[in-house]
Amino acid sequence: MKIINLFYLTLLLSLSSCALSEDFSPPPDGKTVKVAVVRPVDIDILPMDIIYRSEKCRDKIFTSAGAISSRAGYHLLTVPFKPEAGSDIVSNSVALDGGGRCEWKISNIKLEFEYSYMKKFGSYIQRNIPSDVVFIFDNNAPPRGNGHYEEVHGALIVNKDYFPLIRKSNINEGEYILSIKGQSMLTYRVYNTSEISFIPLVHSDMLVNAFPPEKKGDGYLLIYPNGEKLIDHHFPNSEKTKYEFVKQRARQN
């Protein structure tokens, strides 16, 4: 079995045009995009996942029919944020041109953030799931999403409201999951952008609890900060989920 696995690994590597050309060397005078985040209290801003693509070094892949096709080469880079002195802003600059023999070009940036300490909402919470925002720079598919995005030209400022949600798992009995909720699948396609500013407004006091249905066909029970309850049959991917209500309540306080 190990011999067979080694054979297939060697085959896949030989099919990749970029297997031996992962050199990444942005030109020193190349264009960059600055990504800055205003970090809320109790929130960690995770390193950016940056995907570069290469049309010159294409990856060969197997189709479902067993034929060999190709797609733009793929290079993942993880870039941490740096704190800006005297402020609650973290930022870093990202090269648009990755250089190298493959002539890497930036494809997209995924930015993630999560609660620094999930137990602040209860010692029973076992998982902490980050929220994310994706910025697309080319015509390739983003790392997640349904293909819908907002197009922006020039500098971009994203100012969005977020709220904590604790969900009881419907798979692992007794498991509670903390996440930061707001506008789902937040995706932007940017053009001629040299600076992106993200300002998440996280209302930690506006906690929403979600409980799975007791029997098949029932919806999730959502309990809002004011005690209001809602049955949602499409949670968590539903426009009917009333985060807009929570946002309005938060702005009134």
Side-chain angles (χ1 to χ4, degrees):
M1 181 63 69
K2 291 183 179 180
I3 295 176
I4 294 175
N5 288 340
L6 180 60
F7 169 77
Y8 279 109
L9 176 60
T10 303
L11 176 61
L12 288 174
L13 288 176
S14 66
L15 286 173
S16 175
S17 302
C18 295
L20 301 177
S21 57
E22 286 290 339
D23 55 315
F24 191 80
S25 54
D29 58 346
K31 292 183 179 181
T32 62
V33 56
K34 179 183 178 182
V35 183
V37 183
V38 178
R39 187 174 72 86
V41 176
D42 297 333
I43 298 296
D44 283 338
I45 309 300
L46 305 180
M48 292 177 279
D49 282 340
I50 306 168
I51 293 177
Y52 289 84
R53 297 283 188 179
S54 170
E55 290 296 333
K56 185 175 182 180
C57 297
R58 296 184 63 83
D59 290 334
K60 293 183 174 63
I61 59 172
F62 287 107
T63 67
S64 58
I68 296 177
S69 183
S70 70
R71 63 185 176 192
Y74 176 101
H75 185 99
L76 173 64
L77 194 66
T78 300
V79 176
F81 285 95
K82 300 176 182 178
E84 294 189 2
S87 73
D88 53 359
I89 298 175
V90 295
S91 64
N92 211 334
S93 292
V94 177
L96 298 179
D97 184 352
R101 189 182 71 82
C102 288
E103 300 176 1
W104 298 102
K105 303 295 181 184
I106 194 168
S107 179
N108 61 72
I109 296 175
K110 184 171 74 170
L111 186 160
E112 294 184 300
F113 55 103
E114 65 182 9
Y115 275 103
S116 305
Y117 182 61
M118 65 180 180
K119 297 295 185 180
K120 68 174 287 183
F121 293 99
S123 58
Y124 58 92
I125 298 175
Q126 297 167 292
R127 290 175 59 195
N128 189 14
I129 299 179
S131 186
D132 64 32
V133 184
V134 173
F135 306 98
I136 306 171
F137 292 79
D138 62 8
N139 294 320
N140 288 291
R144 61 100 182 102
N146 53 11
H148 295 285
Y149 46 78
E150 181 178 339
E151 294 192 346
V152 178
H153 294 260
L156 171 62
I157 299 177
V158 180
N159 190 322
K160 296 291 183 179
D161 288 273
Y162 292 90
F163 313 93
L165 182 138
I166 297 176
R167 173 172 62 88
K168 184 178 181 182
S169 174
N170 58 351
I171 299 177
N172 298 322
E173 184 66 28
E175 181 183 46
Y176 287 84
I177 303 166
L178 171 68
S179 58
I180 300 176
K181 289 295 183 181
Q183 183 177 336
S184 61
M185 298 294 183
L186 191 59
T187 307
Y188 295 89
R189 190 169 194 172
V190 297
Y191 301 88
N192 301 317
T193 300
S194 61
E195 186 168 353
I196 295 171
S197 298
F198 179 50
I199 309 173
L201 305 176
V202 182
H203 306 279
S204 295
D205 60 332
M206 305 298 291
L207 176 65
V208 178
N209 286 276
F211 299 91
E214 295 184 358
K215 61 182 181 179
K216 187 176 181 180
D218 290 346
Y220 262 79
L221 169 64
L222 305 184
I223 302 178
Y224 290 90
N226 66 345
E228 181 179 351
K229 298 180 180 180
L230 171 72
I231 299 296
D232 190 340
H233 291 272
H234 303 282
F235 177 85
N237 301 311
S238 172
E239 293 299 325
K240 295 168 63 177
T241 301
K242 297 176 63 176
Y243 296 118
E244 185 66 28
F245 164 81
V246 181
K247 180 166 59 177
Q248 292 172 359
R249 294 282 299 183
R251 288 175 174 169
Q252 293 171 4
N253 293 339

